[in-house]
Amino acid sequence: MKKTQVKRSEAFPFKYKERYPLEYVRQYPHLRCRTNTLGSILRVRSEATDAIHSFFKTNGYIHIHTPVITSNDCEGAGELFQVEPSSKVKEPGKNFFDVPAFLTVSAQLHLEVMSGAFSQVFSFGPTFRAENSQSRRHLAEFYMVEAEMSFVESLQDIMQVMETLFKVTTETVLSSCPEDVELLHKFVAPGQKDKLEQMLKNKFLIISYTEAIETLKKASQNFTFTPQWGADLQTEHEKYLVKYCGNIPVFVINYPLDLKPFYMRDNEDEPQHTVAAVDLLVPGVGELFGGSLREERLHLLQQRLARLGLTDTYQWYLDLRRFGSVPHGGFGMGFERYLQCILGVDNIKDVIPFPRFPHSCLL
């Protein structure tokens, strides 16, 4: 009987007991979950998911299933995937939903609706950004953990929940799947264990956006983007600030009003004119959390929406204030960036089972 020679391209791409770079196994999205490294990452992902749900349940939050298809652009950045029926179903000149519909970029506005009925709510689901980016920390489809809390009047209250969520979830993951975390810290990110211990044992730091800009201006490092007041912080700025703070996670608070979406609470601090916004920056990743107090004062919100030409679009949002509101706020955490942070995985494409990014939608 003639022996058939298997072509190299037909051979199984991974050899038993051999360890491969994550960049290599990424070429085989249908097979890479069979490797030890991806197996460990996905088990950690599962445990972290459970730990996050447990944290919110323990603290009295109601889990809300927010829609994936929406007519709102919460972030206002215009990086939206529009949803349309196939050509066989679509009627010429008509929208399926009567209005343009998009894949959600955030559950926040829907959670604000629910926070008027339940004082503490959260969601954990897929979100979508049509960013034409091939960076190591961006995906077209990723998971967001978002929470909204009523009767919150201080950024300190929001930051406390952010820090506690990070630490409690991480400690739960470390205790529930130590072998998987150890494998990743040993073979994928040597030194990450010590960095993580530093993050867990230290109180997170707080600086203002203005202080951050002044720190960046004094830096000896040359930045691609020149730091200046009124401009957004870039990834290189975020990573420098974390390093400057001794690799301890740092909250940056009170951003310029013009940088942020319409719903953030005005600090009324002329002439700077900032809003009560907060980002949490962490080692190796940069921004992990973003949050704010929401503008609950109807007249100020009306003025801002009118200035932006959004009054008609967000009449329903004004109703949330018009028919009874309370001070409230919330935040969102990128789940894949969280996994990158605790495991030391360099590329966000390696902490999600089936990554979606520009020019790649395999399987």
Side-chain angles (χ1 to χ4, degrees):
M1 185 175 179
K2 187 177 179 180
K3 188 174 180 180
T4 303
Q5 187 175 3
V6 178
K7 294 180 181 179
R8 185 177 180 83
S9 61
E10 294 176 352
F12 189 68
F14 313 125
K15 292 181 181 178
Y16 181 61
K17 287 190 176 180
E18 191 162 329
R19 200 170 302 282
Y20 294 90
L22 290 170
E23 290 81 4
Y24 173 76
V25 301
R26 202 184 303 145
Q27 301 174 78
Y28 305 95
H30 57 306
L31 298 172
R32 68 176 187 161
C33 57
R34 304 185 189 188
T35 65
N36 287 338
T37 304
L38 257 294
S40 289
I41 289 173
L42 295 179
R43 278 191 292 272
V44 170
R45 184 182 175 103
S46 176
E47 290 294 335
T49 300
D50 187 60
I52 287 167
H53 278 277
S54 178
F55 171 85
F56 283 117
K57 184 175 182 179
T58 300
N59 287 281
Y61 286 72
I62 301 295
H63 183 205
I64 302 295
H65 290 131
T66 54
V68 170
I69 300 175
T70 177
S71 58
N72 297 310
D73 176 11
C74 177
E75 296 300 312
E79 296 158 342
L80 300 164
F81 288 103
Q82 188 157 357
V83 177
E84 294 182 342
S86 66
S87 57
K88 292 181 180 179
V89 179
K90 185 176 181 181
E91 294 183 55
K94 291 186 177 181
N95 289 308
F96 184 87
F97 293 106
D98 290 336
V99 295
F102 311 95
L103 295 179
T104 184
V105 298
S106 171
Q108 182 212 310
L109 298 184
H110 295 99
L111 289 180
E112 281 200 61
V113 171
M114 292 295 167
S115 70
F118 311 100
S119 61
Q120 297 183 129
V121 292
F122 82 101
S123 67
F124 190 165
T127 52
F128 307 85
R129 303 282 169 88
E131 291 180 294
N132 190 17
S133 172
Q134 292 284 357
S135 84
R136 295 173 180 268
R137 61 176 213 153
H138 289 97
L139 290 166
E141 178 184 355
F142 57 98
Y143 278 70
M144 281 275 280
V145 179
E146 299 184 77
E148 197 73 21
M149 298 155 282
S150 295
F151 307 104
V152 169
E153 299 186 42
S154 166
L155 277 180
Q156 291 282 353
D157 296 332
I158 296 174
M159 291 187 285
Q160 183 60 52
V161 178
M162 288 181 181
E163 183 169 345
T164 307
L165 170 62
F166 179 91
K167 290 181 174 178
V168 170
T169 298
T170 303
E171 287 164 356
T172 302
V173 169
L174 292 177
S175 64
S176 60
C177 47
E179 297 88 355
D180 290 312
V181 174
E182 184 180 354
L183 181 147
L184 294 164
H185 285 175
K186 182 177 180 180
F187 294 107
V188 174
Q192 185 64 20
K193 181 180 179 181
D194 293 338
K195 292 178 184 176
L196 193 56
E197 288 175 353
Q198 279 286 102
M199 287 187 258
L200 292 175
K201 76 178 183 181
N202 285 287
K203 179 73 176 171
F204 293 177
L205 305 176
I206 304 171
I207 62 173
S208 70
Y209 167 87
T210 301
E211 291 170 329
I213 293 297
E214 290 305 311
T215 298
L216 293 166
K217 284 181 176 180
K218 295 175 184 176
S220 57
Q221 179 177 327
N222 290 321
F223 297 110
T224 303
F225 297 90
T226 303
Q228 57 183 354
W229 204 97
D232 216 345
L233 297 178
Q234 302 297 320
T235 302
E236 60 178 344
H237 302 149
E238 294 169 352
K239 290 185 176 181
Y240 176 87
L241 289 168
V242 175
K243 190 174 181 181
Y244 177 83
C245 292
N247 283 319
I248 305 300
V250 56
F251 292 108
V252 180
I253 64 172
N254 298 334
Y255 282 77
L257 178 143
D258 290 341
L259 280 182
K260 294 298 183 180
F262 68 87
Y263 50 74
M264 295 191 177
R265 196 177 200 274
D266 195 332
N267 284 328
E268 297 184 284
D269 55 349
E270 300 289 358
Q272 284 191 314
H273 213 170
T274 64
V275 288
V278 55
D279 288 340
L280 176 64
L281 313 182
V282 297
V285 173
E287 182 190 343
L288 175 60
F289 284 82
S292 76
L293 296 179
R294 317 309 189 192
E295 185 56 83
E296 87 284 1
R297 294 165 293 185
L298 178 61
H299 69 286
L300 291 179
L301 193 55
Q302 286 173 323
Q303 290 171 11
R304 194 175 305 168
L305 287 172
R307 192 164 60 245
L308 296 170
L310 296 173
T311 301
D312 292 340
T313 304
Y314 288 100
Q315 276 297 326
W316 66 268
Y317 192 77
L318 292 172
D319 282 349
L320 298 179
R321 277 66 174 165
R322 187 178 292 115
F323 300 131
S325 183
V326 298
H328 62 288
F331 63 83
M333 178 186 81
F335 184 52
E336 283 74 25
R337 288 189 186 180
Y338 167 75
L339 295 172
Q340 280 187 278
C341 175
I342 66 168
L343 299 177
V345 175
D346 187 48
N347 198 310
I348 198 169
K349 301 176 185 68
D350 298 320
V351 293
I352 191 169
F354 304 103
R356 303 299 191 231
F357 51 95
H359 314 297
S360 181
C361 188
L362 303 173
L363 278 65

